[in-house]
Structure formats: C-alpha cells, structure tokens
Amino acid sequence: MRSFKDYRPENAPSESETLKKAVTASDPALESSAAELTRKIAAAYNGKNSNEMLRNILSEAERSKRAGTLSNAEIDAFYEQFSPLLDGGQRRKLKSVVERLKRI
C-alpha cells in the first residue's frame, strides 16, 4: 500500500459492485416521501377541478425544483405512485408534466 487512497480492506466490495447496489436498491425514504406527497396532494385538491389542480401542482413543483428541494427521482416516484389512479389520457398528461419538470 502506497497511500491511504489505495487501501482496500479484505472482502470489501469493488466500486462497481457498490455502484450497482446503490442504483438497483430501492430507497424506502424516497418511496415514503412520494406516498406522503400523494396523500397531501389528494387531500388538498379534493373536490377541485383538474385544471386548477394541475396549475397548482406545476407551480409548486417548479418552485421546489428550482430551489433544489425536489429531485428527478422524487418526481419519478410521485409519478409511479400517482399514475395508477388515473385513466389513460390523464396518465399521458401527467407524464408530459413530469418530463417538463425533469428538464428544469
């Protein structure tokens, strides 16, 4: 060993194994926050029309995305949680909104 940078303990996973595990492992905290976000949105917009709801969701999501408090992974988790509740047209509309938000 020439430096601390080169040190690898015995039986330590390689960087590629660690990266593969991080990418494929589910994140319970992220799933929980997406579920909580879905519940909050459903409660806040109960009885309101879809256009008003969509405008408010977009506005809040854009604000959060620009502030750095909303990640693309959280947007995807929200879509996965919320999309089964929608019909085909609504799902396509939500998907286009999600793609727009992810580009911000």
Side-chain angles (χ1 to χ4, degrees):
M1 174 174 78
R2 292 186 177 166
S3 70
F4 286 109
K5 188 176 179 182
D6 297 332
Y7 174 73
R8 287 255 190 258
E10 291 182 28
N11 301 326
S14 70
E15 282 185 36
S16 63
E17 290 170 336
T18 303
L19 181 59
K20 186 187 300 184
K21 183 178 179 184
V23 170
T24 59
S26 66
D27 184 351
L30 184 60
E31 292 170 9
S32 174
S33 69
E36 183 62 28
L37 177 60
T38 302
R39 280 192 290 280
K40 285 179 182 178
I41 288 173
Y45 294 106
N46 190 17
K48 295 188 179 181
N49 75 40
S50 63
N51 288 332
E52 184 180 13
M53 183 173 80
L54 185 58
R55 272 193 306 274
N56 289 337
I57 290 171
L58 258 176
S59 170
E60 184 60 36
E62 282 183 33
R63 188 174 20 260
S64 296
K65 182 77 170 167
R66 291 183 195 286
T69 58
L70 180 65
S71 71
N72 286 348
E74 290 170 318
I75 292 170
D76 286 335
F78 171 78
Y79 176 80
E80 293 302 319
Q81 186 78 26
F82 199 64
S83 65
L85 306 174
L86 306 173
D87 65 31
Q90 292 169 326
R91 193 174 297 121
R92 282 189 297 278
K93 191 171 188 177
L94 180 61
K95 185 66 172 174
S96 71
V97 168
V98 163
E99 294 304 319
R100 178 178 160 198
L101 289 172
K102 288 168 66 175
R103 288 191 298 266
I104 293 175

